[in-house]
Amino acid sequence: MRHFRIYAAIVFMVGLGTATRGEDRPVSLPPLETYQQLKTFKLSGQSVHVENLRLQRDRLQMVFTGNFYFQEPVAGSVYGAMFSGQGQLQSEPTSIFERDNIKRFLKDTSVQATFTTAILYFSDETYRELSSQPSGDAPPATAQEFVSRVEPRMLKETGLNLSGRLMSAIYNHDNPGVFFAEFEGGNRGRFSALIDHQTRTLDSVFGINGGEKGILFKYQGQTSGIDIWTAFYDDQDYARGMSAFSDSFNLVSVPLYRMDVDLRDAGNNLRLQMDLELSALADNVSVIPMKLNEGLSELGNERRNKGMRVTAAQTSDGTMLPVIQDEWESGFSIILPAPLTRGQKKSISLKLEGKGTLVDWKSNFHYPRSTETWYPRYGYLSRTQFDVTFHHDKHDRVASIGQRIKEGPVREGADEWITEWATTEPIALSTFVYGRFQRHDAISDIEGRKTPLEYYSVPSDVLQVDEKFILQEMDNSIRYFRNLFGVYPYGRLGAAFFPADFGQGFPTLLLLPVTGTGMAVESPRNIAFTDHEMSHQWWGNIVGWRSYRDQWLSEGFAEYSGVLYTGLRMKPKDADALIMEMRKNLQMNVQTETGIGKEKLYQVGPLVLGSRLEGRLSEGAYELIYSKGALVLRMLHYLLSDPATKNDREFFDMMRDFVQRNQNGWATTESFMQVASEHFARSPLSRQYGIRNLDWFLSEWIYQSSIPDYHLDYKIETKSDGKVVLRGTLIQENAPEDWIMLLPVVAEFSGNRLGHTSVVARGPKTSVEIELTEKPKKVRLDPDLWILSGKTSEKGS
């Protein structure tokens, strides 16, 4: 069990156990037939009339006056309804940052909405509650047309297959069941609610996997995407103070992905065969939902036309398996011939094909259109082994994840080659690049530990690339980060030219754009960029993040790692300039779909909101987990150091400890802060001020979004005994009144001598008294900008 806290004075214990399962309930139809009938959503003649009927679904409170028209029974039960009349919905926020999120989208402190129609999909107790009401009128002539357009529209806009989710809930016996409603005709226009207690679609479609069970959202168009007004835990979570992350509800584990990838027609088609051995983690596992293509968008019909499609599925004995995959769906479902029991294994083979799934650069270089979602995956960043064989032309080369096991012709003299890549450690994601690459090699030898280095470059007649520079940087980075964070555990490190405006750091394979190729000016920013990607071998790969709330542990840590490296590789002032740039980023007004917004970047939300920070009202706000994430880690660097001696060994001991505890696994924000707290308790600042943990730091800098201003007003006094004392007031503004922070103070003496100490800010004003060895020329508050602030100043006499 691990603590997971929400800033609402509620503490959650996050369980790592198995999902809640329902009782066996016999279903009269095969799953595929049930799915087809659910998808038809044919209205029956049954209806009920309600007056001020209250229907509560966790944090959703709904009131209905009008008629409900029900779907025809499917497999003996009713799973859908249409409402027409007058309705209201209310949802109170569950935390400060959810309240602020609602305020940003709706200009209100809670969700208050009216509606005249609603389409409901459910596998919970909704039908039982509604069908006990008095009979109503027959559905209007337009009702069937109205309900029939909801699911196709939802599929295109979000990738959510409602009927597929209901079908899997029925046959996997999910308990509690699923609830979805689309509302229209009121003050908020068309909007939707989704409650998925097993979090399957919340994770795969909306990226909500931090334990939340429900969301309220609104589609804003192809270019604007989806506004998630609020996300919430279910009532059981709040009642017991416990919530489970999405992976606690996994149905199966997959210890190995074995893939055979045909690249011989890469300019047109990508063909893939995948062999999986599934091991059931629960009973009654009948339907396996897989992720695929969720990285592709609605724009340009990309998800529909350029994603991978399943063409066949079968078991190891040749039994063909039904597969549900809508053309717009972000994922697909495999229907098993018989339910699996816990611990039972099942071998499955899949065949897939995609047209336009690869993007071409200069005709001869090919990359997955979505580098992370081009192949089927189960679960959120579940770690597994990969063994991938690529079939390709003899003139081309393939770079992928892990170790290159073989490379050569399928038979002597053949034009078709195969290249096999396999991992020796469990990893979360795999990718590849393919084309007329030229491979350049080197060796990183650190105390006898040899790590092969490879860079897949484009030929010089295509683009001038400094391959020697890249290989040297790879070697330098392994050496540097090994000393700071621990041994590089993978057997090799590769990199490849990547024609994009961003980079990625997969396990053992860096995708480096022009910025990282050495062809650009060797600037501090480019050095920091490259080593940001390098450090992802530790932050994101060796140690993964548990949910979207924790991804700053990867990006923020990598950003700060790049700064640390730049300070050594270039000059300390270059690292200082990068720190200043991050601080300025946080003070910039965010861009909205209509222009420059009123909010500054840091005001959009706290680190714990992660990817939810980005949206049409805060374009580019995902930058916050980079800049603020790095600066938060830098503050911990200070707190775990000795201000008097500037010894920071405890900080790096903490970082290595963090890696060792979570190697080949994942971490949460809270588990990281627990490790930091343990080390902080041994630090000089902890002993000096009697602060034994970092709970306050977690609350302020990760769950909240304030950035204080600091000012030190002081006087220097010389006592009768000759001792020198600084007395003054430390002012802390633009933060809650209970805000606490420790700040460095530097006294400048004659002869360019410096004295280092610290002060603690407790609330708006704190009295300060510091004994000095002699009268200083000047006293400065946090001159090296260790502490994140809007403004820091001092005035003395």
Side-chain angles (χ1 to χ4, degrees):
M1 309 288 276
R2 294 185 184 272
H3 290 279
F4 178 54
R5 280 186 281 190
I6 296 180
Y7 193 74
I10 297 175
V11 178
F12 279 82
M13 294 288 287
V14 177
L16 306 183
T18 306
T20 302
R21 305 289 295 170
E23 299 178 356
D24 285 346
R25 294 169 297 184
V27 184
S28 59
L29 292 177
L32 188 58
E33 189 173 343
T34 296
Y35 170 73
Q36 290 166 345
Q37 290 190 21
L38 288 169
K39 200 170 183 65
T40 302
F41 203 120
K42 185 176 181 182
L43 290 174
S44 68
Q46 182 191 8
S47 68
V48 297
H49 180 77
V50 297
E51 293 285 342
N52 294 317
L53 174 72
R54 295 184 178 273
L55 188 67
Q56 181 157 349
R57 290 294 177 265
D58 297 295
R59 293 287 144 168
L60 305 180
Q61 298 176 9
M62 295 161 283
V63 179
F64 299 88
T65 295
N67 290 319
F68 280 98
Y69 309 107
F70 293 106
Q71 180 188 29
E72 285 187 347
V74 176
S77 297
V78 174
Y79 297 103
M82 173 185 174
F83 169 78
S84 179
Q86 297 295 322
Q88 302 91 41
L89 177 143
Q90 180 174 345
S91 182
E92 296 293 331
T94 56
S95 66
I96 288 176
F97 50 79
E98 293 294 350
R99 181 201 64 195
D100 291 345
N101 205 57
I102 291 170
K103 188 175 181 179
R104 177 172 300 107
F105 286 117
L106 303 181
K107 312 302 181 188
D108 204 342
T109 56
S110 65
V111 180
Q112 306 279 346
T114 60
F115 54 90
T116 58
T117 59
I119 308 299
L120 278 57
Y121 289 71
F122 42 78
S123 65
D124 59 5
E125 299 300 313
T126 299
Y127 177 66
R128 183 183 60 81
E129 293 183 39
L130 295 178
S131 61
S132 63
Q133 305 301 312
S135 297
D137 300 327
T142 57
Q144 185 63 57
E145 180 184 353
F146 194 89
V147 299
S148 296
R149 68 187 184 211
V150 171
E151 183 164 23
R153 183 170 59 195
M154 187 60 55
L155 270 161
K156 182 179 180 182
E157 293 173 353
T158 69
L160 172 60
N161 189 334
L162 289 165
S163 296
R165 179 64 186 100
L166 282 180
M167 185 273 295
S168 68
I170 295 166
Y171 288 89
N172 288 333
H173 305 291
D174 287 347
N175 182 26
V178 179
F179 178 86
F180 170 86
E182 182 178 276
F183 306 95
E184 200 166 352
N187 63 328
R188 301 295 184 190
R190 179 166 63 91
F191 69 98
S192 303
L194 172 64
I195 298 177
D196 188 339
H197 295 274
Q198 294 74 36
T199 74
R200 306 204 199 291
T201 51
L202 291 173
D203 171 25
S204 62
V205 177
F206 300 96
I208 302 296
N209 48 31
E212 302 95 333
K213 304 303 191 307
I215 58 172
L216 277 165
F217 67 95
K218 181 179 176 68
Y219 175 75
Q220 295 287 359
Q222 286 191 6
T223 57
S224 299
I226 297 167
D227 291 346
I228 296 180
W229 293 345
T230 188
F232 49 86
Y233 301 84
D234 65 22
D235 286 345
Q236 290 184 0
D237 293 341
Y238 284 103
R240 64 192 178 189
M242 182 188 299
S243 182
F245 285 94
S246 293
D247 57 11
S248 298
F249 299 94
N250 281 355
L251 296 168
V252 297
S253 63
V254 187
L256 173 66
Y257 286 1
R258 189 181 301 278
M259 292 188 278
D260 199 85
V261 184
D262 188 347
L263 298 172
R264 288 172 293 178
D265 188 23
N268 298 303
N269 296 298
L270 174 65
R271 296 183 178 89
L272 167 65
Q273 178 168 322
M274 173 179 274
D275 296 323
L276 306 172
E277 184 172 284
L278 310 176
S279 180
L281 299 175
D283 293 325
N284 297 315
V285 177
S286 297
V287 182
I288 310 295
M290 302 290 291
K291 292 186 174 184
L292 183 66
N293 300 330
E294 72 272 21
L296 303 180
S297 73
E298 177 193 356
L299 278 173
N301 299 326
E302 187 180 52
R303 193 181 337 118
R304 184 186 69 181
N305 295 340
K306 297 180 180 179
M308 294 292 286
R309 301 293 159 199
V310 181
T311 59
Q314 64 181 44
T315 61
S316 55
D317 63 5
T319 302
M320 300 305 295
L321 299 175
V323 171
I324 293 172
Q325 184 184 25
D326 187 272
E327 62 180 2
W328 281 105
E329 187 175 356
S330 58
F332 63 94
S333 297
I334 305 168
I335 299 174
L336 300 178
L340 300 179
T341 58
R342 187 188 305 271
Q344 186 177 355
K345 293 180 169 53
K346 177 66 70 175
S347 296
I348 291 176
S349 293
L350 301 171
K351 290 185 178 180
L352 302 97
E353 183 172 341
K355 297 182 184 297
T357 303
L358 301 180
V359 293
D360 301 333
W361 182 71
K362 295 189 179 297
S363 300
N364 291 321
F365 303 90
H366 311 277
Y367 305 81
R369 185 172 297 275
S370 174
T371 56
E372 301 169 1
T373 68
W374 59 276
Y375 63 97
R377 300 162 332 284
Y378 183 81
Y380 178 69
L381 299 182
S382 298
R383 287 180 180 262
T384 187
Q385 301 279 5
F386 288 83
D387 190 328
V388 187
T389 298
F390 297 91
H391 297 257
H392 58 93
D393 184 89
K394 67 179 180 180
H395 300 293
D396 295 324
R397 297 293 175 265
V398 181
S400 190
I401 307 300
Q403 308 294 321
R404 191 173 60 256
I405 305 301
K406 64 176 68 171
E407 181 183 60
V410 292
R411 59 186 177 278
E412 187 175 353
D415 289 339
E416 179 188 339
W417 273 34
I418 60 170
T419 301
E420 181 182 358
W421 290 88
T423 62
T424 55
E425 300 84 10
I427 63 173
L429 293 169
S430 181
T431 197
F432 70 92
V433 302
Y434 166 63
R436 298 293 167 89
F437 290 103
Q438 295 177 346
R439 188 165 57 232
H440 300 259
D441 305 284
I443 295 288
S444 177
D445 188 343
I446 305 174
E447 299 177 355
R449 184 185 179 96
K450 293 181 171 59
T451 302
L453 307 177
E454 297 179 342
Y455 178 64
Y456 286 73
S457 184
V458 296
S460 58
D461 60 346
V462 175
L463 192 68
Q464 290 291 328
V465 176
D466 190 343
E467 293 89 5
K468 184 177 179 181
F469 164 82
I470 296 167
L471 291 168
Q472 185 62 59
E473 282 303 295
M474 292 165 69
D475 183 28
N476 291 341
S477 298
I478 285 183
R479 293 173 183 276
Y480 182 68
F481 292 134
R482 171 189 183 275
N483 290 332
L484 297 189
F485 309 133
V487 172
Y488 177 76
Y490 305 125
R492 66 174 276 282
L493 177 63
F497 176 83
F498 188 48
D501 59 358
F502 63 94
Q504 288 185 285
F506 288 88
T508 75
L509 181 63
L510 310 178
L511 302 183
L512 297 178
V514 172
T515 304
T517 61
M519 63 175 289
V521 176
E522 191 175 308
S523 68
R525 184 176 295 177
N526 289 346
I527 292 292
F529 176 95
T530 302
D531 283 270
H532 169 112
E533 301 304 339
M534 263 296 310
S535 72
H536 273 311
Q537 299 305 306
W538 284 263
W539 316 126
N541 297 333
I542 298 174
V543 180
W545 62 92
R546 184 71 189 272
S547 77
Y548 79 97
R549 293 176 176 268
D550 311 305
Q551 198 166 354
W552 75 277
L553 298 178
S554 174
E555 298 300 353
F557 282 30
E559 196 78 347
Y560 189 50
S561 299
V563 170
L564 291 172
Y565 179 83
T566 302
L568 178 70
R569 173 69 167 74
M570 306 292 280
K571 297 177 181 178
K573 68 176 184 179
D574 295 322
D576 294 342
L578 293 171
I579 294 296
M580 283 297 301
E581 184 176 348
M582 291 178 191
R583 292 169 68 103
K584 288 179 180 177
N585 285 342
L586 296 178
Q587 298 291 336
M588 296 290 288
N589 288 66
V590 294
Q591 181 78 25
T592 75
E593 62 181 357
T594 58
I596 301 296
K598 295 180 180 179
E599 285 184 309
K600 297 182 185 299
L601 175 59
Y602 78 87
Q603 295 172 323
V604 171
L607 275 176
V608 76
L609 273 188
S611 56
R612 286 178 59 196
L613 296 164
E614 182 83 19
R616 66 184 179 87
L617 301 183
S618 52
E619 296 174 2
Y622 192 59
E623 166 65 27
L624 186 124
I625 76 166
Y626 291 77
S627 293
K628 187 178 179 181
L631 296 175
V632 164
L633 185 60
R634 188 166 187 265
M635 286 191 284
L636 289 173
H637 191 164
Y638 172 74
L639 293 176
L640 271 70
S641 302
D642 185 340
T645 64
K646 305 187 78 173
N647 184 331
D648 59 2
R649 181 172 59 190
E650 191 67 52
F651 172 73
F652 291 108
D653 286 348
M654 182 273 290
M655 297 297 280
R656 284 189 291 271
D657 186 14
F658 175 60
V659 171
Q660 289 172 5
R661 294 193 198 192
N662 299 284
Q663 185 163 342
N664 291 333
W666 47 257
T668 65
T669 294
E670 292 71 29
S671 69
F672 166 69
M673 288 303 301
Q674 180 60 41
V675 176
S677 279
E678 292 174 18
H679 285 263
F680 175 70
R682 300 194 288 266
S683 71
L685 287 173
S686 173
R687 294 193 297 269
Q688 179 180 350
Y689 293 105
I691 302 174
R692 298 307 178 195
N693 60 57
L694 292 171
D695 289 352
W696 55 276
F697 187 92
L698 173 69
S699 171
E700 292 173 358
W701 292 107
I702 295 168
Y703 294 158
Q704 298 184 64
S705 53
S706 296
I707 293 184
D709 294 331
Y710 294 100
H711 178 75
L712 178 62
D713 251 330
Y714 69 92
K715 290 184 178 181
I716 303 296
E717 300 177 2
T718 303
K719 295 183 177 180
S720 57
D721 60 2
K723 292 183 178 179
V724 178
V725 177
L726 178 152
R727 285 194 176 93
T729 301
L730 178 58
I731 299 170
Q732 182 176 241
E733 298 178 309
N734 297 325
E737 292 200 354
D738 60 350
W739 197 275
I740 300 171
M741 197 61 221
L742 304 174
L743 295 98
V745 174
V746 177
E748 299 179 0
F749 301 106
S750 60
N752 294 322
R753 292 174 297 125
L754 302 176
H756 297 268
T757 187
S758 60
V759 291
V760 60
R762 298 180 184 272
K765 291 185 178 182
T766 306
S767 296
V768 173
E769 182 173 317
I770 303 172
E771 286 194 2
L772 302 172
T773 56
E774 59 185 276
K775 187 173 183 178
K777 295 170 59 179
K778 188 176 183 180
V779 174
R780 301 183 64 194
L781 181 65
D782 192 19
D784 297 318
L785 302 178
W786 281 103
I787 305 306
L788 179 54
S789 62
K791 292 182 293 185
T792 300
S793 60
E794 61 283 314
K795 182 179 180 181
S797 60

